[in-house]
Amino acid sequence: MEDSQLLDAVERFVQGQMTPEELVQFEQLRKSNPEIDQFVVEHSLFLAQLNDFGDRKQFRSALHNIHNNLLDTGAINPQVPKAKVVDLFKKYRRVWAVAASIAGIIAITVSGLVAYFTPNTTPQIEQLRREVSRLNTQTKILTKEVRDSSNKITRVPQNEIYKFGGTGFLIDAKGYLVTNAHVVKDAKTIIVLSKGQEYKAVLVRSDLERDLAILKIEDNDFKPFSSLPYGFRKTGADLGEQIFTLGFPRDEIVYGEGYMSASTGLNGDTMSCQITVAANPGNSGGPVFNKNGEVVGILSTRQLQAQGFVFAVTAKNIFKSLEDLKKDTTYQNIKINTISSVKGLERPQQIKKIEDCVFLVRTYQ
């Protein structure tokens, strides 16, 4: 089949314009010819990305028109900056809320004490004493929450600035994570987040050759997991095998799916492989899973913008980097799980069990 005929057939297949007989013949052709099957998948993804780009462009244009209309009518004033106030409120609203609660309790306690010194019957006085005692206990608990919240807010020293964001995930249930070395390069402070909870982490090994870094969560608030739901597969994924990713291109976890498109990376690099999946620098360090929930690679997007491709460091390099780390006896107890407990589950159930083990990584200088 010539290229023009193949392209025409794929177009009609994707758009659902084939007759039932043509559809049966084309499906048989895909099964017998992996190259044609891969071309169909790539072309479908390409068309989907074009449609998505068009939708985003149309949406941005609509927003731009709305914004201009609001400016013309005087409904908004662009010279009144309120973003900083909103950010400060969001950052400290938990502390303010707890502090307000304590102030309210103190007011109630003072009122109770005033009532205590006024003439009352004995049963009422005893009831008031018990109420004051209960409120004092509650005040101590809330005071501790304020102190803990303040400590979490000040994990990052005030003289350090945000540098870079990426993704990391647990390789050991006790709090050891892996990410890309370029994500944490030259960082003075490393903070990892899961579902809004911040933890302080330290770098224990940086493997620049493999672009891998191993971190350790050192934070009293972190509670080790009993076990990890996913395993690690040394042999990687096969060409054309379906894969999915979890990462933080923004402040919430994002799911992506695709397939293994090349067994080597850029210029035949055997430490990495090429995958077809949507990604950006915030996905750096994120896990790449096969359908069984086994880690087969780690997204590495340091060359994404320059080359236009997505690469992943193969999972076997985690084992090699960990072997080097274990030469230091301090880390002899780190163990990598090779068995996936989410094998056979539907994808949404797999994600629910895995996502708590994937962290947003923020570095500061």
Side-chain angles (χ1 to χ4, degrees):
M1 182 180 293
E2 295 182 359
D3 291 344
S4 59
Q5 293 176 328
L6 175 60
L7 182 60
D8 179 65
V10 172
E11 288 279 358
R12 292 195 299 114
F13 173 77
V14 172
Q15 296 176 8
Q17 297 176 350
M18 283 187 169
T19 64
E21 294 78 11
E22 289 176 326
L23 185 61
V24 171
Q25 293 177 358
F26 192 72
E27 290 288 0
Q28 291 176 348
L29 180 62
R30 289 182 63 187
K31 291 180 181 179
S32 62
N33 193 322
E35 292 183 358
I36 291 179
D37 181 62
Q38 183 173 347
F39 180 75
V40 172
V41 174
E42 291 178 346
H43 194 67
S44 299
L45 290 173
F46 172 72
L47 292 177
Q49 290 172 351
L50 281 180
N51 291 333
D52 185 52
F53 174 76
D55 291 341
R56 289 201 304 270
K57 189 173 181 180
Q58 185 176 4
F59 180 66
R60 288 177 180 174
S61 177
L63 287 179
H64 181 71
N65 291 335
I66 292 171
H67 181 261
N68 288 337
N69 290 334
L70 291 174
L71 286 174
D72 292 340
T73 58
I76 60 174
N77 183 2
Q79 297 182 356
V80 183
K82 296 183 179 180
K84 188 172 183 180
V85 176
V86 173
D87 288 342
L88 287 173
F89 173 75
K90 288 182 178 179
K91 183 175 182 181
Y92 295 100
R93 62 183 175 184
R94 174 173 172 78
V95 175
W96 289 347
V98 177
S101 300
I102 293 176
I105 291 173
I106 292 174
I108 294 173
T109 304
V110 171
S111 298
L113 291 173
V114 171
Y116 174 76
F117 287 105
T118 61
N120 282 293
T121 60
T122 302
Q124 291 174 325
I125 292 175
E126 186 59 33
Q127 182 179 357
L128 181 58
R129 284 176 177 171
R130 286 196 296 268
E131 183 65 18
V132 170
S133 177
R134 184 184 69 81
L135 291 174
N136 284 337
T137 301
Q138 190 173 357
T139 300
K140 291 179 181 178
I141 294 173
L142 291 174
T143 301
K144 183 179 182 301
E145 288 189 10
V146 170
R147 189 185 307 114
D148 292 344
S149 297
S150 299
N151 289 339
K152 290 173 185 177
I153 290 174
T154 58
R155 274 189 169 90
V156 180
Q158 294 299 313
N159 61 340
E160 293 185 10
I161 59 174
Y162 176 67
K163 174 195 172 189
F164 189 71
T167 304
F169 60 101
L170 291 173
I171 58 173
D172 184 282
K174 295 185 292 294
Y176 288 93
L177 301 97
V178 65
T179 185
N180 288 144
H182 73 267
V183 170
V184 295
K185 185 180 179 182
D186 299 327
K188 291 183 180 179
T189 300
I190 303 173
I191 302 295
V192 297
L193 301 89
S194 176
K195 293 189 173 179
Q197 178 68 53
E198 295 184 0
Y199 304 104
K200 183 77 174 290
V202 296
L203 177 67
V204 296
R205 175 171 173 76
S206 179
D207 189 338
L208 296 178
E209 181 182 2
R210 300 185 178 97
D211 193 25
L212 294 178
I214 298 177
L215 312 178
K216 173 70 167 65
I217 297 177
E218 291 191 350
D219 196 305
N220 293 332
D221 288 337
F222 176 73
K223 301 296 185 288
F225 290 73
S226 57
S227 62
L228 299 183
Y230 47 82
F232 290 76
R233 182 177 170 185
K234 285 185 177 180
T235 54
D238 296 326
L239 193 64
E241 185 175 350
Q242 295 294 313
I243 54 94
F244 70 94
T245 64
L246 291 172
F248 288 92
R250 53 189 187 189
D251 286 344
E252 66 175 310
I253 197 165
V254 175
Y255 168 82
E257 63 178 27
Y259 60 91
M260 181 72 66
S261 54
S263 57
T264 60
L266 189 65
N267 299 323
D269 178 18
T270 57
M271 288 188 182
S272 60
C273 56
Q274 182 179 327
I275 60 176
T276 300
V277 68
N280 65 32
N283 288 102
S284 288
V288 180
F289 298 98
N290 62 13
K291 65 179 181 180
N292 296 324
E294 297 172 313
V295 177
V296 295
I298 307 168
L299 276 172
S300 179
T301 59
R302 61 180 171 182
Q303 296 172 320
L304 175 65
Q305 294 179 343
Q307 302 296 334
F309 303 116
V310 180
F311 300 102
V313 180
T314 55
K316 64 182 179 181
N317 288 287
I318 300 177
F319 290 88
K320 293 179 179 179
S321 190
L322 189 57
E323 287 175 4
D324 294 337
L325 177 63
K326 284 187 174 182
K327 293 176 182 178
D328 183 341
T329 56
T330 306
Y331 305 105
Q332 287 291 325
N333 293 328
I334 302 178
K335 296 181 180 179
I336 294 184
N337 181 35
T338 57
I339 300 175
S340 172
S341 63
V342 298
K343 181 179 180 180
L345 297 181
E346 296 292 331
R347 186 60 47 80
Q349 283 70 42
Q350 289 180 330
I351 294 172
K352 286 180 181 178
K353 291 181 176 293
I354 291 173
E355 61 180 342
D356 287 348
C357 302
V358 183
F359 292 76
L360 169 61
V361 180
R362 287 179 176 167
T363 61
Y364 297 82
Q365 284 186 334

